[in-house]
Amino acid sequence: MSAMNTPAAGLPEPGAVTGVPEAAPGGTHARAPRLGGGVWWRHLLALCALAFALFPILFLLSAALNKAGTLSSSTLLPTSFSLNNFSDLFSNEARPFVTWYKNALLIALVGSVFSVFIGACSAFAFSRLRFRGRRAMLLALLLLQMFPALLAFVGLYITFSKIGEVMPAFGLNTTWGLILVYLGGAMGSNVWLLKGYFDTVPKELDEAAFVDGASHARVFFSLTLPLVRPILVTVFMVSFVSLFGEFMLASIFLTDVDKQTLGVGLYGMTVGNERNALFGQFSAGALLSSIPIMALYLAFQKQLIGGLTTGSVK
């Protein structure tokens, strides 16, 4: 028995350190780390992308805090600290920044809410109901997105100039008329995005509700909408960001200074002979206009990620 427990001559003791790497539990040898391995280069790329993204924000912050408030005296890094640009921005009667801010928030909020509601109703019909022309309508919505919106500007201008003669509250140079224009383009991509998420909800839930006597409206409002809340938040955020900073249509429809939005009003500071002197106020207004969007993303970032990923893999 003692001879069997004694290691053979020339063989290493159990547990002795040798130059041969030990075999992994699966029978394969552990690989040595390669030169240049790891994820350090990914962190380097992320830092470079972050610095590139923060470059314009840092320049705007420096210009907003610049005491002179001109473009020629602005630098990348802040050299002084002054709130004169902010006070001049709020006290400039020729450029009512607070009114522009209110108009932009009203148009973005109302337009986003109605965009979500219209898109959700359409997506529910396309996802749950079966009717003649359903596939053709979906393809038509997809086809219409291929045409640039610039082609419709002349037609929209003429149409709403005629509408203003009958209903002045919805004509040109009105907030509600511009909201109606935005709602007309709220279909398309929103419907397809919402429909992809609606398809992930099991149809057995609808059938069980129908057995209990629920109607389509009851199923839609009480059952389906709470289950698809992430995609509703996603569509609302995407619509809000696009409407809050929209410029092309707003510059055509809104001509009075007190009816303009932030995009149109701030753009007016960058043209003309006073663009050098007003650059500090423009930078201050640009920084303040980013507050609602940052607040939305910070508040609903989980729903945004869930809404974009769940509906895209269906």
Side-chain angles (χ1 to χ4, degrees), residues 58-308:
L58 181 61
F59 182 75
L60 281 178
L61 180 62
S62 175
L65 299 178
N66 185 16
K67 184 178 297 185
T70 60
L71 176 60
S72 57
S73 62
S74 300
T75 57
L76 178 60
L77 297 177
T79 57
S80 61
F81 182 82
S82 175
L83 298 178
N84 294 335
N85 292 322
F86 292 91
S87 60
D88 294 341
L89 179 66
F90 286 103
S91 60
N92 193 345
E93 297 181 358
R95 298 174 178 85
F97 178 78
V98 177
T99 303
W100 296 343
Y101 214 109
K102 292 179 181 178
N103 294 338
L105 283 176
L106 175 64
I107 292 174
L109 285 174
V110 176
S112 301
V113 169
F114 279 99
S115 296
V116 172
F117 180 73
I118 294 173
C121 293
S122 303
F124 179 80
F126 285 123
S127 176
R128 288 296 193 265
L129 306 181
R130 294 297 179 264
F131 50 90
R132 183 177 299 178
R134 169 179 168 274
R135 182 177 177 83
M137 291 181 184
L138 282 173
L139 294 178
L141 287 176
L142 185 62
L143 180 63
L144 289 175
Q145 302 304 307
M146 299 180 183
F147 295 93
L150 190 64
L151 297 176
F153 283 4
V154 177
L156 288 174
Y157 185 87
I158 297 175
T159 300
F160 277 85
S161 64
K162 299 298 182 181
I163 293 176
E165 297 176 0
V166 181
M167 295 182 292
F170 296 95
L172 294 176
N173 199 27
T174 61
T175 301
W176 295 107
L178 183 61
I179 291 175
L180 285 180
V181 176
Y182 289 150
L183 292 180
M187 306 291 285
S189 58
N190 288 348
V191 174
W192 277 91
L193 185 63
L194 287 164
K195 179 186 177 299
Y197 201 101
F198 275 54
D199 290 340
T200 62
V201 179
K203 295 183 180 180
E204 290 77 9
L205 297 177
D206 298 357
E207 296 174 357
F210 290 145
V211 170
D212 293 338
S215 61
H216 287 289
R218 180 78 174 181
V219 171
F220 174 70
F221 286 104
S222 301
L223 181 63
T224 306
L225 287 185
L227 295 177
V228 297
R229 187 176 302 169
I231 194 61
L232 298 180
V233 174
T234 301
V235 174
F236 175 82
M237 292 179 62
V238 172
S239 300
F240 183 89
V241 172
S242 61
L243 296 182
F244 189 76
E246 203 278 327
F247 170 76
M248 293 294 293
L249 276 173
S251 62
I252 295 174
F253 273 71
L254 305 176
T255 56
D256 292 346
V257 177
D258 57 344
K259 296 292 183 62
Q260 292 176 348
T261 58
L262 271 177
V264 181
L266 291 178
Y267 174 77
M269 296 183 178
T270 62
V271 295
N273 299 326
E274 297 182 348
R275 58 183 178 182
N276 183 34
L278 295 176
F279 186 75
Q281 299 182 31
F282 167 80
S283 301
L287 289 177
L288 293 177
S289 64
S290 63
I291 294 177
I293 298 176
M294 289 192 303
L296 275 179
Y297 275 98
L298 291 176
F300 300 109
Q301 54 183 335
K302 293 183 179 180
Q303 289 84 352
L304 177 64
I305 297 174
L308 289 175

